Amino acid sequence: MDYFLDTVASTPLLGFTLLLLVVLTLPPIFEWLKLPGLVGLLLAGMALGPWGLRLLDPSGETMKLLSDIGKIYLMFVAGLEIDLEDFRKQKNQAIGFGFATFLFPLIAGACVGRLFGYGWNASILLGSLLASHTLLGYPIVRKLGVANTPAVTATIGATIFTDIAALLVLAICLSIHQGDFTATSLMLQLLALGLYAAIVLFGLDWAGKKYFQLVGDEEGNQFLFVLLAVFIASAGAQAINVDRIVGAFLAGLAINDVVGHSPVENKIVFVGSTLFIPFFFVGMGLIVDIPAFAEALGSELSLIAGIAIALFGGKFLASTTARFSFDYNWNESMTMWSLSLPQVAATLAAALAGFNAGLLPQAVFSAIIVLMLATSISGPVLTARFAPRLLRTATTVSGDRPAEPTQDTFLNSRPGKPFTVVVPIANPNNERNLIELGALLVKHENGSLGALTIVKGHQRMDAPELDRRLERSQWLLRQATEVGEEFGVLPKPMMRISDDIARGISRSAKEAGADLLLMGWSDNTQLMAQLVGSVVDSVFWSAHCPVAVVRLLKEPVDIDRILVPVRDLSTKSQHAIKFALLFADTHNAKVTLLHIFENPAPQSDLDRFESELLTVAQQYNLPVQTFATALVDDDIARRIATEASDYDMVMLRSVRRLTIGGLAVSDTSNKVIRKVPCSFVLLGEPQA
């Protein structure tokens, strides 16, 4: 047995295989137990580390490299996925919360240090360890689709402030301890950091746009450029004595505007979220000294309790201050609190530096290790508890009333231009229903219908294979014309030769000024689609207008009862309601709006949400018989599928997710699609 354990620990390939096994199996198990998957990765690291089974060595070059890459990737993704427009709107909140969540724990931690007899220098360093935070809960809010809510955006922005400030305090404390601190050295450090940030933010943005123009649509080269930019920025930060995570975060902000919301971004984040970021969490578990942890719990309990109270209390005071200063609600402030609790990356790096320099004693370092473990578990657990509640309040001021109806351009053509629907057709089996649905919509709106076929290109324009493809496309267009004429609409035939089907559809729709793309659903089971993504997935990313992916089990005119699950009252959720009402009005169908509370809620909350749903529906002034119902169920997808058995169609929204292939939809929508027994429409919108 010892030989086997030593072999695994000393063989990088076996260690890497074990990491993959852990990442694949543990997170789903812990999520099934209603715990964040990140907790499972941390506990796995403790179990497999030097104080457990000794299968993974935290000091090994392979594990250190993978963990470092994961830490860098975590901060890079946090910067990459910030909606810069929302971030600009929230910059005051980010600075304000960053200052509060740094200052309050710093003061509280310094007081604890003085209370236990440490000098001012060591006490201030102790306080600074509590002032920073690591966004361990960020994958949770990203998965829930609330990463761009004001409170979360402010918390992410505050991270860069707290980490930089904490690392600067560390540098000052170490300089004072070593006797070489001067005001000049501090000013030089601040100047170097400001200059470096400007170079990264503006330099990478400029270089990225130039490079992307040069390589065109070569996603492989774009992907490699982004990776290179991340690690150059991280190495550069280290060169000026700033932690690498600061450079990674700045690189994320810089690259954000370059890649936009494109398939390249999707693949970049997928690689990190699937491999490197989970490796980082396992690595954090590996470095926990379990004997020192147990000893500290026994001998330094009062110090640990004091530090924990300072941390939890200081961060809570900061989030409460932000709540009242920026008019956040309770769930938003508690989500900010939970996200700012984990003390991992910068905290551990600073604590280790202070301990090695002799400034922090063993007792404090052991207490920090205990705190790291406690907050690494409690932070994500609390985030998983409070963040889902943002789904119902993300667009409200107080959480008690829906957002005011706003005028937007969803499914509205520009003045002087008819409402235009483009239907790409390739499969004769669903062509009739798609053209019929498009005809109903444009007839209702006095618009125009385009029937589009994309012919796969060939290197030789005289190739017989290309001629056969053209003949088939012409036959499909004739069929579309006949179907349209049955419903009093003459579709405009559109044909394009293109080497890329998805690009051909997106560009043709843009040229036609489409207000809506209607596409047929097909189960994405082919190996190539799983590896590189489906046509529908690519069109979702690239189209300029809304895309409705439809599976019709009966003719559109026979669909009488439509179910619309509504997650929240945000503008995009209201778009799904509008589309359902518009379709229902074409043939006098009925619409039911459904909201499911995942957590127990009083009947008054259910009644209020039903009333708000009906208010949203009434603003569109369409004579459609509309009902609303709110229910409580732990399994939202199962309940939607169960309710759908009494309906002819379900209207779902697409929430773009991190996936390497297949349609980019939320977990809930994906489960409903697999279980729902009736027709459905999956509605996706452009990123702009």
Side-chain angles (χ1 to χ4, degrees):
M1 184 63 178
D2 289 340
Y3 174 76
F4 171 75
L5 296 178
D6 292 339
T7 301
V8 174
S10 60
T11 306
L13 181 59
L14 293 178
F16 185 76
T17 304
L18 182 59
L19 278 174
L20 291 177
L21 180 63
V22 167
V23 171
L24 176 67
T25 57
L26 282 186
I29 293 174
F30 273 74
E31 289 175 0
W32 180 75
L33 295 173
K34 303 298 182 181
L35 290 172
L38 307 182
V39 175
L41 297 175
L42 289 166
L43 295 179
M46 296 174 61
L48 298 174
W51 293 276
L53 297 176
R54 296 184 287 110
L55 291 175
L56 295 175
D57 181 11
S59 61
E61 291 300 320
T62 301
M63 194 65 231
K64 287 171 63 178
L65 175 63
L66 293 176
S67 184
D68 283 346
I69 292 175
K71 180 172 66 175
I72 289 169
Y73 230 115
L74 178 66
M75 291 305 297
F76 168 67
V77 169
L80 182 65
E81 294 206 330
I82 288 178
D83 188 309
L84 292 179
E85 187 62 32
D86 288 342
F87 182 72
R88 293 184 187 103
K89 296 177 182 177
Q90 302 297 323
K91 62 180 182 297
N92 293 332
Q93 289 91 325
I95 295 172
F97 179 63
F99 184 77
T101 199
F102 175 81
L103 185 62
F104 290 138
L106 173 68
I107 295 174
C111 290
V112 170
R114 293 295 294 164
L115 183 63
F116 281 85
Y118 299 115
W120 277 109
N121 198 25
S123 297
I124 292 175
L125 178 57
L126 172 59
S128 73
L129 299 180
L130 311 183
S132 63
H133 58 263
T134 303
L135 292 170
L136 294 190
Y138 180 75
I140 296 173
V141 296
R142 186 186 67 237
K143 181 178 179 180
L144 291 170
V146 297
N148 285 325
T149 57
V152 176
T153 301
T155 307
I156 295 172
T159 303
I160 192 68
F161 177 88
T162 58
D163 284 349
I164 291 175
L167 294 171
L168 285 176
V169 172
L170 170 67
I172 293 171
C173 290
L174 290 179
S175 297
I176 293 174
H177 180 69
Q178 296 164 358
D180 56 2
F181 171 76
T182 63
T184 302
S185 63
L186 175 61
M187 293 303 297
L188 288 175
Q189 180 69 72
L190 292 174
L191 181 63
L193 179 59
L195 181 61
Y196 178 71
I199 292 174
V200 172
L201 291 174
F202 296 105
L204 282 183
D205 183 41
W206 176 84
K209 289 177 179 177
K210 290 294 184 182
Y211 184 78
F212 276 38
Q213 290 175 2
L214 180 65
V215 300
D217 294 326
E218 290 292 331
E219 293 182 8
N221 289 336
Q222 293 175 356
F223 181 83
L224 291 175
F225 173 85
V226 172
L227 284 185
L228 179 62
V230 174
F231 290 103
I232 286 178
S234 300
Q238 193 173 20
I240 62 169
N241 297 319
V242 176
D243 195 277
R244 289 166 292 185
I245 60 177
V246 175
F249 186 85
L250 291 173
L253 291 176
I255 295 296
N256 190 313
D257 191 42
V258 178
V259 299
H261 297 283
S262 67
V264 175
E265 182 198 27
N266 191 31
K267 292 175 173 60
I268 292 167
V269 180
F270 173 83
V271 171
S273 301
T274 305
L275 290 176
F276 297 119
I277 294 177
F279 291 169
F280 165 66
F281 291 125
V282 175
M284 289 299 98
L286 291 176
I287 65 175
V288 176
D289 188 331
I290 297 179
F293 172 74
E295 181 182 352
L297 283 177
S299 61
E300 303 294 341
L301 190 58
S302 58
L303 176 61
I304 294 173
I307 294 176
I309 292 172
L311 172 66
F312 281 80
K315 296 292 185 181
F316 180 80
L317 184 59
S319 63
T320 303
T321 301
R323 177 188 177 189
F324 291 108
S325 299
F326 305 116
D327 200 24
Y328 292 133
N329 60 48
W330 169 256
N331 290 324
E332 288 173 322
S333 67
M334 294 302 289
T335 301
M336 297 173 76
W337 176 59
S338 65
L339 285 172
S340 62
L341 281 178
Q343 304 293 297
V344 181
T347 301
L348 188 61
L352 185 61
F355 175 71
N356 290 335
L359 181 55
L360 294 179
Q362 176 67 51
V364 172
F365 185 71
S366 297
I368 294 299
I369 295 295
V370 174
L371 192 69
M372 183 197 75
L373 180 61
T375 57
S376 295
I377 295 175
S378 61
V381 168
L382 291 169
T383 300
R385 177 179 178 82
F386 291 108
R389 301 176 186 177
L390 299 184
L391 296 174
R392 298 198 300 270
T393 61
T395 60
T396 68
V397 176
S398 65
D400 295 327
R401 60 184 184 276
E404 293 296 325
T406 56
Q407 296 295 325
D408 57 58
T409 59
F410 177 75
L411 293 183
N412 293 328
S413 59
R414 294 184 298 275
K417 172 188 170 298
F419 178 76
T420 303
V421 177
V422 171
V423 182
I425 51 177
N427 184 359
N429 295 327
N430 62 18
E431 178 184 9
R432 178 179 179 83
N433 286 340
L434 287 174
I435 293 296
E436 180 181 332
L437 176 56
L440 289 173
L441 291 173
V442 299
K443 195 171 182 180
H444 181 276
E445 297 295 298
N446 296 318
S448 63
L449 177 65
L452 170 67
T453 59
I454 304 297
V455 180
K456 184 71 174 177
H458 197 282
Q459 291 182 346
R460 293 176 51 201
M461 289 295 103
D462 61 348
E465 183 180 354
L466 180 59
D467 291 337
R468 287 193 294 270
R469 294 172 185 168
L470 288 169
E471 290 175 3
R472 184 177 185 277
S473 292
Q474 290 167 352
W475 174 75
L476 288 172
L477 291 175
R478 288 194 297 270
Q479 295 289 105
T481 301
E482 293 175 3
V483 173
E485 289 177 342
E486 290 182 28
F487 292 90
V489 174
L490 183 61
K492 177 184 177 182
M494 304 165 60
M495 183 186 299
R496 169 181 284 233
I497 299 175
S498 178
D499 293 330
D500 187 284
I501 302 297
R503 289 178 194 158
I505 293 173
S506 300
R507 292 171 180 176
S508 297
K510 180 69 173 180
E511 292 167 359
D515 299 294
L516 175 69
L517 265 170
L518 277 180
M519 301 185 68
W521 170 267
S522 62
D523 292 328
N524 185 18
T525 56
Q526 297 180 357
L527 175 62
M528 186 57 65
Q530 294 292 332
L531 291 176
V532 301
S534 68
V535 171
V536 169
D537 188 47
S538 298
V539 172
F540 257 70
W541 281 105
S542 58
H544 75 286
C545 62
V547 180
V549 183
V550 186
R551 183 187 73 180
L552 293 172
L553 302 183
K554 58 174 63 176
E555 290 194 23
V557 292
D558 295 330
I559 294 175
D560 183 56
R561 295 161 300 171
I562 303 172
L563 180 67
V564 186
V566 181
R567 188 178 66 172
D568 51 47
L569 296 175
S570 64
T571 301
K572 289 195 174 182
S573 291
Q574 294 182 35
H575 289 171
I577 298 174
K578 180 178 180 180
F579 186 84
L581 293 172
L582 176 63
F583 172 57
D585 195 36
T586 63
H587 58 291
N588 298 319
K590 305 178 187 68
V591 173
T592 298
L593 308 178
L594 171 67
H595 176 76
I596 299 176
F597 287 85
E598 191 172 6
N599 300 308
Q603 186 61 42
S604 59
D605 284 358
L606 273 63
D607 294 340
R608 184 179 68 250
F609 208 91
E610 289 177 359
S611 176
E612 292 170 351
L613 287 173
L614 291 175
T615 300
V616 170
Q618 290 167 3
Q619 69 179 314
Y620 297 114
N621 298 318
L622 291 172
V624 176
Q625 193 172 359
T626 307
F627 309 91
T629 182
L631 305 171
V632 177
D633 200 306
D634 290 337
D635 193 329
I636 296 177
R638 182 193 62 192
R639 188 56 181 267
I640 293 174
T642 301
E643 296 292 323
S645 61
D646 296 326
Y647 292 85
D648 302 313
M649 174 181 281
V650 177
M651 187 76 61
L652 300 168
R653 266 188 62 221
S654 164
V655 179
R656 298 168 195 259
R657 289 291 311 284
L658 309 176
T659 167
I660 195 66
L663 195 59
V665 300
S666 69
D667 285 342
T668 299
S669 295
N670 193 31
K671 293 175 183 176
V672 172
I673 287 170
R674 292 200 302 265
K675 298 178 181 179
V676 71
C678 60
S679 302
F680 65 77
V681 174
L682 188 64
L683 183 65
E685 300 184 46
Q687 294 285 351

